[in-house]
Every structure is written in C-alpha cells, then in structure tokens.
Amino acid sequence: MNKKDLLPILLLLVLFLAYPTIDRKFISRIFPAKEKPVPTAQNAAAAPDLPAETTLTAPAPTPMLEAAVAPEPAELEAQAPDLPEEITILRNEKLELAVSSHGAGIVRAAILGYPATRGAAAPVTFDFEDHPALSISGVLAANAPFKPVAASGRTASFRKVLAGGLELVRSITLGEGYQLDVKDQFTNPTDNVLRLSGYGLNAGFMGNLPDEKMDRVPLLGVDTLTGSQSVEYWGAKFEKWFPNLDRGIQAQTVPGPMEPAQPVDWLAVKNKYLTQIITPETYAEKATLFVKRGAPLKTTAMLFFPRTSYPFDVVSATLTLPEQAIDPGRTLTHSATFYIGPKVYADLKANGPHQEDILQLGFWRPIGILILKIMVWFHDHIWPYNYGLAIILLTFLIRIIFWPLNHKAMASTRHMQAIQPLMAGLKEKYKNDPARQQQEMMALYKEHKIN
C-alpha cells in the first residue's frame, strides 16, 4: 500500500480510539445532554437517593386512592410496621423463590441449575430483600406488611387493607418453568367510588454475576415492548441519562413527558445471562427505570491516558398501569406474568410477543437464530450435553456447508500462483501500455479459467 494512502487510515484509527475521551472531555461539555424530566411523586417515592454504601430501603407510601366522596372511617386491620415477616418458599425444578409477607413480593430467587460462579455448586441467587421483585408501587411501600392468607403447593396469597378502605388480595403462583402468575384483586367495600391511581409492579434490582465485570461494555439493561410493535433497548441511553459521577439511585421515565404516549406491553430488566420480565394482562402506560452506579474503576484510554469511570452496579424498573375507578361493591383484578430466568431463546419466545428480542441479535438476527437453534439442539441431544462440544460440532458443520466455496477459492488461488510467471512477463512486456497490459491479463485469466 502507498504510504500516502496509509497515513489517512492511521489518522482515522487514532481518532476512532480517542473519540470516547474527546467526547467526554470536550464535546459533552459543548453539547450537554438534555435535562432529565423531574420525577413525579410516585417515581420519587419509588427511587430514593441513597448513599453509595447503603442498599435500597422501602420508600414511604404515597396516597394514591381518591374517593369521589370522602369515605367514613372504616375498620382497618392492623398495619403496624412491626408486623412479623413470614416467608413462603415456592419451588419447582428450575426455581426456588422466597416470598415475603412484607411487600408480598419475592425477596430471594435462586436459578437452579445455573452455578453462581464457575465450578460452584450453589446456584445463581438474587437478593431482593430491600426491594422485593413483584412488589407493588405507587399505592404503598415496596415492603409494606401484608397478612398471609394461604400457602399451598406453589401458591402464596396475602391480604391488605389500603387507605380509604380498599381491600387488596394478592396471589402468586409458580408454574412449571421460570414463569409466575400474579393476581391482584382490589375490592371496594365502601359506598363511594374509589380511584386506583399510580398502581404498578416493581422488578427487583439486578446486578452482574460474580464473574462478570462491566468496565467498558455495558452488560445491564432495561427493555420494553411499546405498542406491540418494537422492542426499545434503553440500556444504550444509560450513559446520557445518568451522570457519570452520581452514585445514588437515579430514575428515568419512558416514554418521557415530551414523547408520544405508547402502551407498554412488557418490561425486561437484564444482565448478560439472566432476565426478569413483567407482562401485564392488558398494558402499562409507562415504565420507570432505576440505575445505581458502582465504585470508581480506574482504567486507561488508548493504553496511555488514565481515566476513572463509574460502571453501572444495579438496574431495575417499574411498570405503572393506567388509573381506574372502582365502583362500590365491585372488584378490579389486575393480572400479570413474571419471568425470572436465563435468556434462552426457546423459553423467551414461548412467554410472549417479541420477548426473544431481548437477546439483541441485531442485523444478522435470522442467521443468528438459525445458528443458535442448531447449537442448542447439539447441546440438548449429544452427550455430554455441554456448550463446548456444541460449539465444536457447530464449527465442523459450518465448515462442511461452506466447503464447496472454500474449495473453489483455494483452487482459484492455486491457479493464480501457477500463472504468476506469465503475469510478470506481461507486466514487463507491456509496462509502457497499461491498457494493453490489462487486456492481455484478462485474456490470460480467461485462457486458464480463472474467475
């Protein structure tokens, strides 16, 4: 290659490698990111700003029940904050869940069959103690005390009387795989119309697995399916939405106040290998994302320039459903499914529309899905049933499929090598006549059947 052509390429390479530093130190200061919308009362209550060394604590409940006519004082069951906590264990072959009466949500989830670290016997276990997964947002605190009603087999039920006299009965049922069914029944025993506003469902805070360190490549994300059309990958916007130096809990609502309203069909919170997906029976009106950055990480840019980054430590999100009125004596039921498990294509595809798209296979998605299905088939049907062997077999299969093309390319290369002396002779003979030289070389290719 000509040295004059090599110089621009080297300059472009240097600019490409240096761009993150240039963007952080200069461009982002000249063109700052748009200001985040101020969180609403519900969001602020759900995501307090905490010191870096603490974990999430339950937010104070926000009154969201409005009566058309103020109800008379009702006989309410005891809601003392010191009501003893009761833990119900729900288990199948793939999951072991601890459901707490404080929040009526999941405080611990063990993904059976997936070791926490390489070679470990203990499974991956998520601790949602301070912010239970599937807990209710908006109308009460995330860990508000419930009264257990019943626990049988794989079902746990709880009851609570909310402000204004509205009665809530919650049931959580674990199915055969990684999916649960949750049903919230709100009954209005008063003589007044009560409005349920701000009701939503929380995902638990999810971090990276012990063996995964997120320094430059983001492994945590939040996805939503909006309007049953396309999956939005909000993790790509974390860097702009959440300031680098802020290590508290930060919130962002999607769609934002300036964006057109679109129903949210489901919400996924994920790390590299596992995910939580909340799918309401109808739809939600918005999703609120929560992010907390971790301890500072010292690295270098372009191997020379020192830099300090604050990688994302944990992420979570909340789905908020539309406001609804409950007439006297009537019951409003909200149902949803909750998936917590590995990002396995077949399992995700069976759960609901477009849930397999959280894998983010990109432009080569059709080819990626085909390769993924073949590799999983090798894993499931050929002893010793591991992905190492599956990858080796997949490699052999691809080499066999492309052998005709590879064979033809190798034959063409050998032919080119065979006529190299003839080509050198033509170049020498017609060195002062480029047009004739090209013509004779094409004739030589044709004579020796080289494409």
Side-chain angles (χ1 to χ4, degrees):
M1 181 182 291
N2 194 309
K3 291 184 179 179
K4 293 182 179 179
D5 297 332
L6 185 61
L7 184 60
I9 295 174
L10 291 175
L11 288 174
L12 287 173
L13 181 61
V14 171
L15 286 173
F16 175 77
L17 295 173
Y19 179 77
T21 302
I22 296 171
D23 179 58
R24 187 176 67 256
K25 293 186 176 295
F26 303 105
I27 298 178
S28 60
R29 296 180 182 180
I30 301 172
F31 303 101
K34 292 183 180 179
E35 247 182 61
K36 295 187 296 181
V38 179
T40 61
Q42 301 99 302
N43 299 338
D49 191 9
L50 303 177
E53 63 274 8
T54 65
T55 54
L56 272 180
T57 56
T62 306
M64 293 297 170
L65 298 173
E66 303 172 357
V69 180
E72 296 295 325
E75 289 286 334
L76 302 181
E77 63 186 85
Q79 304 290 347
D82 57 351
L83 194 67
E85 181 182 27
E86 294 187 31
I87 300 293
T88 302
I89 301 298
L90 306 180
R91 182 186 173 102
N92 62 18
E93 292 182 354
K94 296 184 176 181
L95 289 176
E96 182 178 280
L97 307 173
V99 183
S100 171
S101 60
H102 285 185
I106 300 166
V107 293
R108 188 177 66 257
I111 316 298
L112 306 180
Y114 284 79
T117 57
R118 293 181 179 90
V124 170
T125 301
F126 290 103
D127 183 0
F128 302 135
E129 183 88 26
D130 297 320
H131 192 73
L134 277 185
S135 57
I136 296 172
S137 70
V139 298
L140 72 168
N143 58 358
F146 280 71
K147 180 179 179 181
V149 176
S152 59
R154 296 178 183 172
T155 299
S157 299
F158 306 88
R159 180 177 181 271
K160 187 174 182 63
V161 178
L162 307 180
L166 197 65
E167 296 180 359
L168 166 60
V169 175
R170 155 165 281 204
S171 296
I172 297 177
T173 303
L174 176 61
E176 293 298 326
Y178 297 103
Q179 190 154 288
L180 299 86
D181 294 315
V182 57
K183 181 182 292 186
D184 290 332
Q185 294 179 305
F186 296 90
T187 301
N188 181 2
T190 72
D191 297 327
N192 306 298
V193 176
L194 297 178
R195 305 190 72 83
L196 183 65
S197 175
Y199 163 79
L201 296 173
N202 295 317
F205 271 80
M206 181 173 265
N208 291 310
L209 298 184
D211 288 341
E212 300 296 333
K213 294 182 179 180
M214 181 178 64
D215 73 35
R216 290 187 177 89
V217 180
L219 302 178
L220 303 178
V222 178
D223 305 339
T224 59
L225 177 65
T226 53
S228 298
Q229 294 178 355
S230 62
V231 176
E232 298 283 353
Y233 304 108
W234 302 110
K237 298 186 178 182
F238 282 1
E239 288 290 346
K240 290 187 177 180
W241 281 348
F242 306 115
N244 213 24
L245 300 180
D246 193 337
R247 293 174 59 195
I249 301 296
Q250 302 175 72
Q252 174 73 37
T253 298
V254 294
M258 304 304 292
E259 302 174 43
Q262 293 188 53
V264 180
D265 296 271
W266 53 254
L267 163 78
V269 177
K270 62 187 183 181
N271 62 21
K272 186 175 182 179
Y273 299 108
L274 303 165
T275 184
Q276 305 171 69
I277 306 177
I278 302 175
T279 308
E281 187 177 42
T282 52
Y283 68 91
E285 64 179 2
K286 65 180 179 180
T288 305
L289 286 53
F290 303 114
V291 165
K292 180 177 179 293
R293 287 185 178 269
L297 179 68
K298 295 188 181 298
T299 58
T300 57
M302 299 176 60
L303 303 177
F304 297 106
F305 305 106
R307 58 176 294 186
T308 300
S309 61
Y310 293 79
F312 296 108
D313 187 29
V314 290
V315 297
S316 182
T318 295
L319 274 182
T320 303
L321 279 70
E323 179 181 306
Q324 288 185 277
I326 308 175
D327 294 329
R330 303 300 296 271
T331 297
L332 171 66
T333 301
H334 280 300
S335 298
T337 61
F338 179 67
Y339 176 95
I340 178 166
K343 297 194 294 188
V344 175
Y345 179 84
D347 291 341
L348 295 173
K349 187 172 179 61
N351 285 338
H354 299 288
Q355 290 194 10
E356 70 277 11
D357 289 346
I358 70 170
L359 295 175
Q360 289 183 255
L361 296 176
F363 179 78
W364 300 101
R365 182 175 181 273
I367 298 174
I369 290 173
L370 176 62
I371 292 175
L372 186 61
K373 287 182 175 180
I374 294 171
M375 188 168 67
V376 170
W377 189 91
F378 284 146
H379 174 273
D380 293 343
H381 292 84
I382 298 178
W383 183 89
Y385 313 110
N386 66 59
Y387 281 108
L389 177 63
I391 292 171
I392 293 171
L393 294 176
L394 178 63
T395 303
F396 275 121
L397 179 62
I398 292 174
R399 292 298 298 266
I400 291 170
I401 291 172
F402 284 95
W403 181 85
L405 292 176
N406 288 334
H407 177 71
K408 186 171 288 189
M410 291 173 64
S412 179
T413 302
R414 285 197 299 268
H415 289 159
M416 287 290 293
Q417 291 173 347
I419 65 169
Q420 281 300 316
L422 299 177
M423 291 179 63
L426 288 176
K427 288 180 180 179
E428 179 63 29
K429 184 176 180 180
Y430 300 107
K431 60 181 180 181
N432 296 324
D433 190 352
R436 180 67 186 276
Q437 182 187 112
Q438 184 69 20
Q439 183 181 355
E440 292 296 332
M441 288 179 67
M442 294 303 296
L444 186 64
Y445 290 154
K446 187 174 181 181
E447 179 185 348
H448 289 269
K449 298 181 179 179
I450 295 177
N451 188 348

